[in-house]
Amino acid sequence: MLRYSLRRLATALPTLLAVITLSFFMMRIAPGGPFDQERALDPVIRANMEAAYHLDLPLWHQYLIYLGNLLRGDLGPSFTMPEFTVAELFAAGLPVSVQLGGWALVLALLIGGGLGIAAALRQNGWIDVAVVAVATAGSTIPTFVVAPVFQLVFGLSLMWLPVGGWQDGAARNMVGPVVCLMLPQLAVVARLMRGSMIEALRAHHIRTARAMGLSGWSVVGRHALRSAMLPVVSYAGPAAAALLTGSVVVETIFSVPGVGRYFVDAALNRDYTVVMGAVVVVAVFTIVFNLIVDLLYAIIDPRVRYA
Amino acid sequence: MSILQDPPLIEVRNLSVHFATPEGDTQAVRDVSFAVHAGETVAIVGESGSGKSQSMMAAMGLLPGNARVTGEIAFKGRNLLTLPRRALRELRGAELAMIFQEPMTSLDPLYRIGDQLIEPIRRHSRLSAHDARARALEMLGLVRLPEPERMMRSYPHELSGGQRQRVMIAMALTNDPALLIADEPTTALDVTIQAEILALMADLQKRLGMGMVFISHDLNMVRHIADRVCVMRAGEVVEHGPVAQIFEAPQHPYTRALIDADPKGHKPPAPTNAPVLLHARDVTVTFGTAPHQVQAVRGLSLDLRAGETVGIVGESGSGKSTFARALLRLNQSEGEIRFDGVPISTLTRAQMRPYRAQMQVVFQDPFGALSPRMTAGQIVTEGLLVHRPDLTRAARDAMAAQALTEVQLNPEFRNRYIHEFSGGQRQRIAIARALILKPRLLVLDEPTSALDRMVQAQVVDLLRDLQARHQLTYLFISHDLAVVRAMADRVMVMKSGELVEEGPCAQVLHAPRAAYTKRLIAAAFDTQAMAPA
């Protein structure tokens, strides 16, 4: 399994390179540049700035310089926030996003998974109906509706929680963003878990386990849950990559200094280096979590063999 | 019979099972009563839908949630139907054990055999982990599995169907149950494996002295293992008595029909001077790429004359279906194949098309081989869209009606969807679909295997009748020697991709030369051979 993992990571490098290359050139095809503003810059200043950032060189040369810097771990300076390098921006923002996304992910899996199991065990009972209703609401009501309502109720009316802000990651400040990030994921996890658990409980080997007099906990928790987990695991991989790399909506509404807002701001401002930094971060997270999913699969299901 | 004087181990009284379905209440079991004594084997025999499994699932508390059970099932003086769930769980797997029909799916694919055996041992006893492991090993030896230590570490997918069923038996017997319920434990297995498992169960039942309920659709199979037999039909017990009485003096016409359910008669011989319709030389089929190559068929030859039926017999994995598919050019093969003198092995897909109508195929599974989204009429006429594009819709419809009449189905059924038909009716539709193209060669790949015994006999009659009427040539693939005997002029016996024996049907079945053929025949016809030595 270790060899498999190493080989998978090695084959991930060409994927990463392809993603970086595509993003680099696609971004440059888009019209406009980092120094295009409503008021035209003085041409001399503009030329100086472009020279400072190598923007005057041919595109292929810029690409090679970027790759060379990337290999040394240098993601370059931000164009629109010249006082920071891209690495500094992510070093400051990523822990915030990872904390929020991590909590949201763990809670979505635990609560969503639990609700899904409960619904499956009492199919068409009141718990099931309630879970399906919550899951439907969770995946249909957009976060930009849920988040302001949350602020209104818990921040302004009840005054239990701050309306926004980070305060170095105080627990009180994290509740709102975590809940809003979690709800849509929880809804998907609950639905997936319910479906796969109902399927798993119908399996013949579950009938065997019951016929052997095993306790309900053993039948459900040991035998049914293990196979029911597989679809949830495959969903959780990409979902984790998306959650941990921040959300522009939640971070903006709750004024949280994560990295989610960089994606949108940088793209709009043609802040080339920040966009590329974001691409690299998301690609790495996605590759790593997909690998984790594959390894979990092999652990859960012995029929999956990685030769 | 002294055992009859003791109080019964389990006594079923006036058992009824209803299922609440969206279409209303249906009754699966009606007022069934019988008893099993310690050390006795009672067989419950019936066709699919007779309620034979449901009555024992009720005893185990394993019926689905929409079932309603009335009556009484007394086990050692306690009514299983009113027992609290917890108390029932204490009995299940300890005093009451059950094994099932589906050996391939009855074990949890995600846990090692050892873990699955140890779990119920520790659930019902106070053995330490070490002693439970020793007990599991002992049980694997008892069911005669080779290398028990290695078995303990294996996962179910690494075992064959027969081995998995042995594991199931080991698991069921591990806590010395007083009653073992076996629900068609051999149905999904090859005939030689069936015989081994039956012998093993009969032997263990004697040695351990438990009571056994043996559920089967095959009355002849239970003859040598059952003390008493209950014959069920449509949820009711139609006849109940000692095994000798059931076989020697059956009272109910249904029992007589079941005993007599083997397909009868023989095919009238084909003229020996008929031209060769299908000629094959040294056909070899190889799957996979080196170094993982498997030769599924190794150098087989065949000459099939017009009007003749050749039966290909073999167990699962013998390559019999692969060979037939190669002859139809449905998979790649080496060697020479001629159809009506034309070398079809080198034809392109387009060149092959006109011959496709002349060589049709009927598959084993009438449930999977027909699209659930098409009506019977659409299914039957689909081939005409390809091969007879000149026909109008009305002409096609008329031909569908005619084809259904031909297979003895009501032509008005052509507007119904597949789920409204029984297994036997579906197989008739599959045959009609093949016949409508007026083929000369029909490949029948286990066409009766998924059907109840009495329906099998009807389909065999139909196929013989159609053959005579339309001068058809059959290639008949089956693992079931009784059906082959009634259908074929000549028989080829296959094992591991090779020909074991070949010859006229009567000769191969009555005077087999190869040891393997003898074993197959013994397992299929001479049920005495199943009794333990």
Side-chain angles (χ1 to χ4, degrees):
Chain A
M1 200 115 96
L2 183 70
R3 268 186 55 198
Y4 170 80
S5 317
L6 291 177
R7 214 177 59 219
R8 268 292 298 272
L9 281 177
T11 56
L13 287 177
T15 313
L16 194 57
L17 183 70
V19 169
I20 290 170
T21 308
L22 266 176
S23 315
F24 187 90
F25 289 103
M26 276 166 59
M27 189 170 54
R28 298 307 178 95
I29 292 171
F35 308 119
D36 290 328
Q37 287 156 0
E38 279 164 33
R39 198 164 54 88
L41 271 178
D42 182 276
V44 181
I45 298 175
R46 187 187 179 103
N48 278 338
M49 299 222 348
E50 290 192 341
Y53 290 111
H54 304 302
L55 290 179
D56 52 343
L57 296 175
L59 201 51
W60 63 267
H61 199 165
Q62 294 182 39
Y63 171 68
L64 290 181
I65 291 175
Y66 183 78
L67 280 190
N69 289 341
L70 190 61
L71 280 179
R72 278 181 272 110
D74 179 8
L75 291 164
S78 165
F79 289 82
T80 49
M81 291 171 275
E83 60 274 32
F84 297 106
T85 67
V86 175
E88 282 167 349
L89 287 176
F90 279 95
L94 202 52
V96 173
S97 291
V98 166
Q99 269 190 71
L100 292 178
W103 278 112
L105 177 72
V106 169
L107 291 174
L109 288 175
L110 288 179
I111 302 173
L115 288 176
I117 294 171
L121 289 177
R122 295 276 178 274
Q123 203 187 342
N124 301 325
W126 67 267
I127 295 182
D128 188 21
V129 173
V131 168
V132 171
V134 167
T136 310
S139 36
T140 47
I141 304 177
T143 307
F144 58 77
V145 174
V146 175
V149 171
F150 186 94
Q151 289 174 319
L152 212 60
V153 172
F154 295 98
L156 293 177
S157 302
L158 298 171
M159 310 263 266
W160 290 352
L161 295 165
V163 172
W166 182 237
Q167 303 199 340
D168 290 327
R172 286 161 50 77
N173 292 61
M174 282 169 61
V175 175
V178 166
V179 166
C180 292
L181 282 172
M182 173 192 72
L183 279 178
Q185 305 300 329
L186 180 147
V188 178
V189 170
R191 272 214 321 264
L192 272 177
M193 188 56 123
R194 174 182 179 272
S196 63
M197 195 70 187
I198 287 173
E199 194 68 32
L201 285 169
R202 286 200 194 119
H204 287 147
H205 63 83
I206 294 301
R207 186 185 59 189
T208 306
R210 290 212 168 107
M212 292 310 298
L214 301 187
S215 64
W217 161 246
S218 179
V219 171
V220 175
R222 241 176 83 80
H223 291 279
L225 181 59
R226 188 156 164 184
S227 53
M229 258 176 355
L230 288 172
V232 178
V233 167
S234 17
Y235 172 77
L243 273 177
L244 298 185
T245 49
S247 147
V248 61
V249 174
V250 170
E251 287 175 9
T252 308
I253 293 177
F254 286 98
S255 314
V256 175
V259 292
R261 61 212 156 96
Y262 294 160
F263 292 60
V264 177
D265 290 352
L268 289 178
N269 296 330
R270 302 287 184 277
D271 195 339
Y272 293 146
T273 44
V274 176
V275 172
M276 288 308 296
V279 166
V280 171
V281 167
V282 172
V284 167
F285 269 80
T286 306
I287 287 167
V288 167
F289 277 98
N290 276 324
L291 177 65
I292 292 176
V293 166
D294 284 355
L295 295 181
L296 278 177
Y297 248 79
I299 292 170
I300 296 172
D301 189 343
R303 287 168 297 182
V304 180
R305 283 274 175 266
Y306 298 117
Chain B
M1 287 206 151
S2 65
I3 45 171
L4 293 184
Q5 273 122 47
D6 301 331
L9 188 60
I10 188 167
E11 190 171 7
V12 176
R13 274 191 294 264
N14 308 111
L15 179 73
S16 289
V17 178
H18 293 259
F19 288 101
T21 68
E23 289 81 39
D25 219 39
T26 58
Q27 190 165 9
V29 177
R30 283 167 207 275
D31 211 18
V32 163
S33 301
F34 65 91
V36 184
H37 292 77
E40 185 191 34
T41 299
V42 172
I44 305 181
V45 178
E47 297 188 278
S48 42
S50 62
K52 57 189 190 300
S53 298
Q54 259 64 38
S55 53
M56 290 329 288
M57 289 289 196
M60 294 289 288
L62 291 176
L63 287 172
N66 63 340
R68 189 161 50 78
V69 186
T70 56
E72 188 185 348
I73 301 179
F75 177 73
K76 292 189 167 177
R78 298 156 86 186
N79 184 359
L80 293 177
L81 298 180
T82 55
L83 221 50
R85 297 185 71 84
R86 182 179 289 271
L88 187 61
R89 276 206 296 266
E90 296 295 328
L91 285 179
R92 289 198 298 221
E95 302 234 25
L96 260 176
M98 185 160 183
I99 51 180
F100 301 95
Q101 179 173 359
E102 303 87 357
M104 303 312 275
T105 50
S106 287
L107 295 169
D108 191 332
L110 307 183
Y111 289 93
R112 292 177 198 277
I113 299 296
D115 295 335
Q116 296 192 55
L117 278 171
I118 289 170
E119 199 180 0
I121 297 175
R122 301 206 64 189
R123 161 80 177 94
H124 294 290
S125 71
R126 286 190 188 162
L127 292 185
S128 67
H130 180 264
D131 291 345
R133 201 185 131 74
R135 173 73 178 157
L137 270 171
E138 181 194 338
M139 293 309 295
L140 288 176
L142 187 71
V143 296
R144 296 181 218 139
L145 275 167
E147 299 180 73
E149 280 285 355
R150 193 175 60 83
M151 284 289 162
M152 292 283 281
R153 289 190 306 273
S154 301
Y155 286 100
H157 70 273
E158 297 168 312
L159 274 59
S160 71
Q163 288 176 324
R164 292 188 212 187
Q165 200 61 301
R166 283 171 194 269
V167 171
M168 269 305 294
I169 296 173
M171 192 190 280
L173 298 184
T174 184
N175 291 315
D176 286 326
L179 181 73
L180 175 67
I181 301 166
D183 188 357
E184 305 243 16
T186 64
T187 306
L189 303 172
D190 276 328
V191 271
T192 51
I193 314 285
Q194 282 188 8
E196 287 171 19
I197 296 284
L198 270 185
L200 173 72
M201 292 188 62
D203 177 42
L204 291 175
Q205 190 259 334
K206 277 212 181 70
R207 272 164 59 188
L208 307 177
M210 62 198 167
M212 182 152 85
V213 176
F214 193 97
I215 301 170
S216 178
H217 67 284
D218 188 344
L219 186 50
N220 292 313
M221 172 189 279
V222 304
R223 185 167 196 161
H224 296 282
I225 61 163
D227 298 305
R228 283 184 301 121
V229 178
C230 266
V231 180
M232 282 187 74
R233 181 192 194 180
E236 286 174 307
V237 174
V238 296
E239 186 161 2
H240 181 188
V243 68
Q245 182 194 317
I246 292 281
F247 278 91
E248 279 149 30
Q251 300 300 305
H252 197 279
Y254 183 72
T255 312
R256 282 200 288 276
L258 272 186
I259 293 174
D260 241 12
D262 269 2
K264 267 187 250 0
H266 296 282
K267 172 186 179 298
T272 47
N273 59 353
V276 172
L277 182 67
L278 184 70
H279 162 93
R281 275 294 158 274
D282 300 322
V283 173
T284 295
V285 179
T286 312
F287 288 126
T289 49
H292 301 292
Q293 275 188 340
V294 181
Q295 281 205 330
V297 177
R298 303 175 196 195
L300 253 58
S301 300
L302 167 78
D303 274 314
L304 188 55
R305 292 182 183 278
E308 198 183 25
T309 300
V310 168
I312 303 183
V313 172
E315 297 187 287
S316 45
S318 61
K320 53 191 193 300
S321 294
T322 310
F323 178 47
R325 265 180 229 144
L327 294 177
L328 293 173
R329 294 215 42 220
L330 290 175
N331 52 22
Q332 288 287 327
S333 64
E334 295 155 52
E336 186 197 0
I337 304 166
R338 283 172 181 271
F339 181 77
D340 204 14
V342 182
I344 57 169
S345 25
T346 53
L347 295 186
T348 64
R349 219 177 233 277
Q351 288 170 323
M352 191 64 207
R353 198 163 293 138
Y355 295 99
R356 291 259 173 242
Q358 299 184 38
M359 36 208 301
Q360 286 292 301
V361 59
V362 175
F363 295 103
Q364 169 174 1
D365 177 10
F367 297 88
L370 305 173
S371 166
R373 286 170 198 83
M374 292 166 76
T375 64
Q378 285 170 335
I379 287 172
V380 168
T381 54
E382 196 179 17
L384 291 175
L385 297 176
V386 177
H387 293 285
R388 299 285 306 277
D390 53 305
L391 290 177
T392 62
R393 181 187 287 267
R396 278 202 308 272
D397 195 52
M399 283 179 78
Q402 193 197 336
L404 289 179
T405 315
E406 190 100 67
V407 296
Q408 296 157 19
L409 281 178
N410 184 344
E412 282 166 19
F413 289 177
R414 65 185 184 279
N415 295 322
R416 295 192 181 176
Y417 285 90
I418 287 307
H419 68 265
E420 298 175 60
F421 293 97
S422 70
Q425 287 174 324
R426 289 179 208 207
Q427 206 56 300
R428 285 169 195 270
I429 292 169
I431 294 169
R433 165 170 71 177
L435 282 181
I436 204 165
L437 296 171
K438 311 244 178 285
R440 297 164 71 192
L441 170 68
L442 202 53
V443 172
L444 301 155
D445 190 352
E446 304 253 14
T448 60
S449 302
L451 306 175
D452 273 328
R453 207 69 181 144
M454 281 158 70
V455 182
Q456 278 186 5
Q458 293 161 9
V459 171
V460 165
D461 282 342
L462 172 71
L463 286 170
R464 275 202 311 238
D465 180 47
L466 290 170
Q467 181 170 37
R469 234 184 309 150
H470 299 286
Q471 292 88 46
L472 293 167
T473 307
Y474 284 164
L475 190 62
F476 188 86
I477 301 162
S478 183
H479 69 278
D480 186 338
L481 294 175
V483 176
V484 171
R485 182 172 59 183
M487 285 287 300
D489 297 298
R490 287 191 294 132
V491 179
M492 296 168 74
V493 181
M494 282 183 70
K495 186 174 194 278
S496 315
E498 286 173 345
L499 185 70
V500 175
E501 183 163 1
E502 181 177 18
C505 190
Q507 184 212 307
V508 172
L509 294 183
H510 295 126
R513 287 190 301 270
Y516 177 70
T517 317
K518 286 178 189 160
R519 278 218 336 255
L520 268 186
I521 292 170
F525 295 123
D526 181 10
T527 31
Q528 200 73 54
M530 294 169 189

